[in-house]
Amino acid sequence: MCGIVGYTGPRQACGVLLGGLTRLEYRGYDSAGVAVVSDGEMALVRRVGKLENLKAAVAGDPVVGTAGIGHTRWATHGAPTEDNAHPHRDCSGRLAIVHNGIIENFAELRTELAAAGHAIRSETDTEVVAHLIEALYEGDLVAAVQKATARLHGSYAIAAVHLDHPDLLVAARKDSPLIIGLGDGENIVASDIPAVLEHTRRVAVLHDGQVAVVTPERVTVHDASGAEVEPEVMVVEWDLDAAEKGGYEDFMLKEIFEQPKALRETLRGRVGEDGRIQMSELQMSDEELAAIERVFIVACGTSYHAGLVAKLLIEQWARVPVEVDVSSEFRYRDPIVDRNTLVVAITQSGETADTLAGVREARERGARVFAVTNVVGSRVTREADGVIYTHAGPEIGVAATKTFTAQIAALSVLALRLAQARATLEPEQVASLWAELATVPDVVEAILADAQDIEACAREYTQAVSSLFLGRGMGVPVAMEGALKLKEISYIHAEAYPAGEMKHGPIALITPDVPVVVVATQGHTYEKVVSNIQEVRARGARVIAVATYGDEAIRSYAEHVLWIPQVSEALSAIPAAVPLQLLAYHIAKLRGCNVDQPRNLAKSVTVE
């Protein structure tokens, strides 16, 4: 949620800020602004709505200066108005800050600062921080920020500039991501890597409680006690081209078509010369893995659906019970977790607030915790006992596509590793399953090469106001993910149910105006799914089926069939999900929706 960019160096800051904010648009926002140290004044420009509105404003009245901060805001405290947009200034107008996160004690601080004579103009928690820094400022901006952050409760990533220090940026973080792009004679503070890639691939990652002092020539980092520490520096493996559309109309479509590559990269190197599954990052012996009595998977949104797939695979292959919890429920329900429990936290960004809280809860109870994430250096990589990376590359579209299928691939390897360690599958069975899993990228490639009928199908359903998604077994999480994709990018209401549950309520919704999408791939419950299709057709529903090539019988039960190649039932989730991604994409495009930036949504949910 929200985006931060700060620049100090020889170039005009405004252009760098706007370029960086453009590459952070995927994070979700409803207003934007910049503050630039300009000829002894703090030039501030803010606009409601898309970044184009801000760009038009500064084009008409250029902002000149070589240091500044910019922000795209996703409203939490206060409506999306110009007064509530970031950056925010103090009473003097000499200090400006931007902030991601939520300050939980802002009301208390607001009352205190107002009583001391500060004029707070907005409804935001962020402006309170600006006035708190002002109250503590005695000529040293770094000291004032350190003192102010010590009083904040909640989460924050902050960047500040001050007229008394025209080349200086001060940045601080707690529970909200913040990085620094290390350039040559210039440095860039940002909330995510794409904002800096045009200028550098060397990145310093701030950790919780740290404060960074950033000038054009130098970056120093201090811990919560004020002691200087060596920053964690990494070189980003992907370049700016990976974060651009590359000839595709939308990031979402590009990322759907990148799935074969993402899957291959995620699976690469997972089998050793001895034929055994390699997952050294677990740092657990076969004996330790065999001692696991229970697995918990905690995740949100699309990652939760990947967790449901993993549950089926782990229970089937490794014969250990698995519970899958929505992260926000896990942290509050007093789960039964101990040292014989393995907790798997799935988070694309590695910064999901509720999932991180679940990680902490599990570790406090003695469980071993592993994270599945796509972002090197993210917070979860430091809080978990081990990390399983999905190598999907940057995902800019808000609706997860390639990271979902890459998560399933990584979790499939984990399930095989557990089965191998627990000897619940014979070596020949593990080898056979791995051999088929390794072909899944080719299967997805074949689906994408023969997907032209999906847009024609989509044209018939653009006016729907509600839809129902059904499946059994592995088809249930696929149906849930398909429904989520449709609702979040096309704004058509969609519900997903196990097909056997349909008669227990959802069948009351069936009319000819409610399309029913059914995952009907070959498997041991196929005949049951066909019976469910006949039940909805008897009530006038139009059916879209995801089915296996060669299943001619399904044609008589469905108005439209989205075909996938034959794969084993256990490995069907990834191929079956791809046509539903494309169906949602084409329906949304035909309805005129912005598929990359759906309304009200953010790519990375870093607040509770």
Side-chain angles (χ1 to χ4, degrees), residues 96 139 156 165 203 208 222 274 276 328 398 422 479 489 537 569:
Y156 57 80
H165 314 277
V203 169
D208 276 359
H222 303 266
D274 59 358
R276 290 181 62 80
S328 56
V398 167
R422 298 170 64 83
I489 65 170
R537 282 177 61 84
E569 186 176 0

Side-chain angles (χ1 to χ4, degrees), residues 48 76 102 123 243 247 264 274 383 390 472 562 583 589:
V48 174
T76 54
I102 291 181
E123 303 169 84
R264 290 187 183 103
D274 59 358
E383 298 210 9
T390 55
R472 286 179 181 256
L562 312 181
L583 180 66
K589 289 292 289 184

Side-chain angles (χ1 to χ4, degrees), residues 385-409:
D385 295 299
V387 183
I388 303 166
Y389 284 110
T390 55
H391 297 281
E395 187 175 68
I396 307 301
V398 167
T401 52
K402 65 177 180 176
T403 54
F404 172 64
T405 53
Q407 284 171 349
I408 295 175

Side-chain angles (χ1 to χ4, degrees), residues 114-282:
H118 291 265
I120 300 174
R121 305 168 184 85
S122 74
E123 303 169 84
T124 69
D125 53 344
T126 299
E127 189 187 353
V128 170
V129 181
H131 290 279
L132 180 61
I133 295 172
E134 178 188 22
L136 297 168
Y137 179 70
E138 296 177 341
D140 186 336
L141 181 61
V142 178
V145 170
Q146 288 174 321
K147 291 175 184 176
T149 54
R151 295 203 56 194
L152 302 180
H153 301 165
S155 61
Y156 57 80
I158 293 169
V161 289
H162 199 289
L163 290 181
D164 292 351
H165 314 277
D167 292 329
L168 174 67
L169 301 178
V170 179
R173 73 155 281 178
K174 178 180 178 291
D175 294 338
S176 194
L178 204 60
I179 57 100
I180 304 166
L182 304 175
D184 183 10
E186 60 182 2
N187 291 298
I188 307 169
V189 174
S191 50
D192 206 353
I193 289 169
V196 308
L197 277 184
E198 181 181 357
H199 312 288
T200 181
R201 290 170 64 179
R202 291 186 67 243
V203 169
V205 180
L206 286 191
H207 294 180
D208 276 359
Q210 292 183 339
V211 174
V213 183
V214 184
T215 66
E217 300 297 336
R218 190 172 181 217
V219 173
T220 58
V221 177
H222 303 266
D223 63 17
S225 70
E228 186 173 333
V229 295
E230 191 69 23
E232 176 190 343
V233 178
M234 66 179 187
V235 178
V236 179
E237 295 181 358
W238 42 277
D239 57 21
L240 188 60
D241 288 344
E244 300 289 353
K245 293 180 182 177
Y248 287 90
E249 188 173 350
D250 312 278
F251 281 112
M252 183 178 179
L253 187 63
K254 172 178 179 276
E255 288 155 6
I256 288 172
F257 276 82
E258 287 177 337
Q259 287 178 109
K261 179 182 178 182
L263 291 166
R264 290 187 183 103
E265 291 298 320
T266 298
L267 295 174
R268 189 187 305 278
R270 287 303 184 183
V271 174
E273 293 181 2
D274 59 358
R276 290 181 62 80
I277 301 298
Q278 302 288 333
M279 200 162 259
S280 58
E281 55 266 60
L282 294 181

Side-chain angles (χ1 to χ4, degrees), residues 53-102:
N53 298 337
L54 178 63
K55 291 178 179 178
V58 298
D61 187 9
V63 176
V64 177
T66 59
I69 51 177
H71 193 265
T72 49
R73 175 182 186 252
W74 191 82
T76 54
H77 294 73
T81 65
E82 195 167 302
D83 283 343
N84 288 333
H86 298 209
H88 286 284
R89 290 184 290 192
D90 65 350
C91 294
S92 71
R94 300 182 65 78
L95 165 75
I97 75 161
V98 290
H99 160 242
N100 289 351
I102 291 181

Side-chain angles (χ1 to χ4, degrees), residues 542-608:
R542 292 182 295 167
V543 173
I544 303 169
V546 178
T548 307
Y549 279 122
D551 181 10
E552 294 302 318
I554 201 73
R555 292 183 186 274
S556 61
Y557 304 128
E559 279 69 25
H560 298 275
V561 182
L562 312 181
W563 299 104
I564 69 168
Q566 176 72 53
V567 292
S568 67
E569 186 176 0
L571 298 178
S572 63
I574 291 173
V578 174
L580 297 183
Q581 295 171 350
L582 286 167
L583 180 66
Y585 170 83
H586 287 301
I587 289 175
K589 289 292 289 184
L590 290 165
R591 287 167 63 91
C593 301
N594 185 336
V595 296
D596 287 341
Q597 298 170 38
R599 67 188 183 203
N600 302 331
L601 295 179
K603 183 66 176 173
S604 178
V605 184
T606 57
V607 296
E608 184 179 355

